Amino acid sequence: MMNVACNDRDRIFRDGTRVEWAALEAHAVSCPACADELRAWKSLSVAAQEMRDYTENPASWPRIERALAEEAGRKTQPARRRSWLSFLPGISLGWQTAVAGALVLVLAISAGWIFIRGPHRVENDKSLLKSAALENVERAEALYVQAIDKLAAEAKPQLENPATPLLANYHEKLAVLDSAIADLRTEAG
């Protein structure tokens, strides 16, 4: 039997004789790298053989040729250039650009006018307490107070008779918070 080394593997894959293939298979029994490569080569060979064993359909080639010709025809046709103002096809590109510039100018002037004289500027009323933001805060506070009252009503039986020292501690902290909130409310008016 012939001796084969790992570096002979690629040459045998390309143009090895039957004897060299047998020697490579014998070498692959003791060489894991060559065994993996040999398995991959064999599975690739099986897949290639399966691809070669198809039955030819006489209609396939004309259909492929027609599709390739259509694709080539589409690529050779000059691409029709569409301008960004193509909804004005009868107007030249220069006039389209002028119209676009005028629109931009009008929009810029309008935005500046709205910013300077807009409805959000109230010259005479500079009061902080008449803003929409304050109304949102007051609405949120009312919802918060309702939620706290509901939670207090649900927790009241457990907090009045605490079963654990932790609940007693919570009860004391809530009493301190309630008195601080009441003080703040009286100061705020």
Side-chain angles (χ1 to χ4, degrees), residues 23-36:
L24 179 63
E25 287 184 3
H27 168 76
V29 171
S30 63
C31 178
C34 288
D36 288 343

Side-chain angles (χ1 to χ4, degrees), residues 11-75:
R11 182 189 56 76
I12 294 172
F13 283 163
R14 278 191 310 270
D15 58 359
T17 64
R18 289 184 189 261
V19 174
E20 289 173 326
W21 272 95
L24 179 63
E25 287 184 3
H27 168 76
V29 171
S30 63
C31 178
C34 288
D36 288 343
E37 289 292 323
L38 190 60
R39 262 192 305 279
W41 181 263
K42 285 182 178 180
S43 74
L44 182 63
S45 297
V46 167
Q49 184 61 38
E50 288 173 356
M51 288 176 64
R52 198 178 306 145
D53 290 341
Y54 71 94
T55 57
E56 190 171 313
N57 183 349
S60 294
W61 284 113
R63 193 172 67 231
I64 293 172
E65 287 175 342
R66 190 174 342 110
L68 289 173
E70 288 173 2
E71 182 68 25
R74 275 193 299 257
K75 286 183 180 179

Side-chain angles (χ1 to χ4, degrees), residues 164-176:
T164 65
L166 181 63
L167 281 177
N169 190 11
Y170 280 146
H171 180 65
E172 290 174 16
K173 288 183 180 183
L174 286 173
V176 169

Side-chain angles (χ1 to χ4, degrees), residues 17-167:
T17 64
R18 289 184 189 261
V19 174
E20 289 173 326
W21 272 95
L24 179 63
E25 287 184 3
H27 168 76
V29 171
S30 63
C31 178
C34 288
D36 288 343
E37 289 292 323
L38 190 60
R39 262 192 305 279
W41 181 263
K42 285 182 178 180
S43 74
L44 182 63
S45 297
V46 167
Q49 184 61 38
E50 288 173 356
M51 288 176 64
R52 198 178 306 145
D53 290 341
Y54 71 94
T55 57
E56 190 171 313
N57 183 349
S60 294
W61 284 113
R63 193 172 67 231
I64 293 172
E65 287 175 342
R66 190 174 342 110
L68 289 173
E70 288 173 2
E71 182 68 25
R74 275 193 299 257
K75 286 183 180 179
T76 59
Q77 289 178 353
R80 189 174 151 225
R81 188 169 159 245
R82 296 186 58 92
S83 69
W84 56 277
L85 286 175
S86 61
F87 62 89
L88 303 171
I91 300 175
S92 70
L93 185 59
W95 279 107
Q96 288 179 15
T97 305
V99 168
L103 285 174
V104 169
L105 183 64
V106 167
L107 287 174
I109 291 172
S110 299
W113 182 261
I114 290 171
F115 182 75
I116 292 171
R117 301 277 185 196
H120 67 283
R121 300 264 181 185
V122 178
E123 310 256 340
N124 297 333
D125 188 12
K126 296 185 188 248
S127 173
L128 171 69
L129 299 178
K130 292 187 179 182
S131 70
L134 180 63
E135 291 175 16
N136 288 339
V137 168
E138 288 175 345
R139 207 172 309 118
E141 181 188 8
L143 290 173
Y144 173 74
V145 168
Q146 287 176 354
I148 292 295
D149 290 344
K150 183 178 177 183
L151 182 62
E154 289 178 8
K156 187 175 183 179
Q158 291 178 347
L159 290 176
E160 286 179 352
N161 299 319
T164 65
L166 181 63
L167 281 177

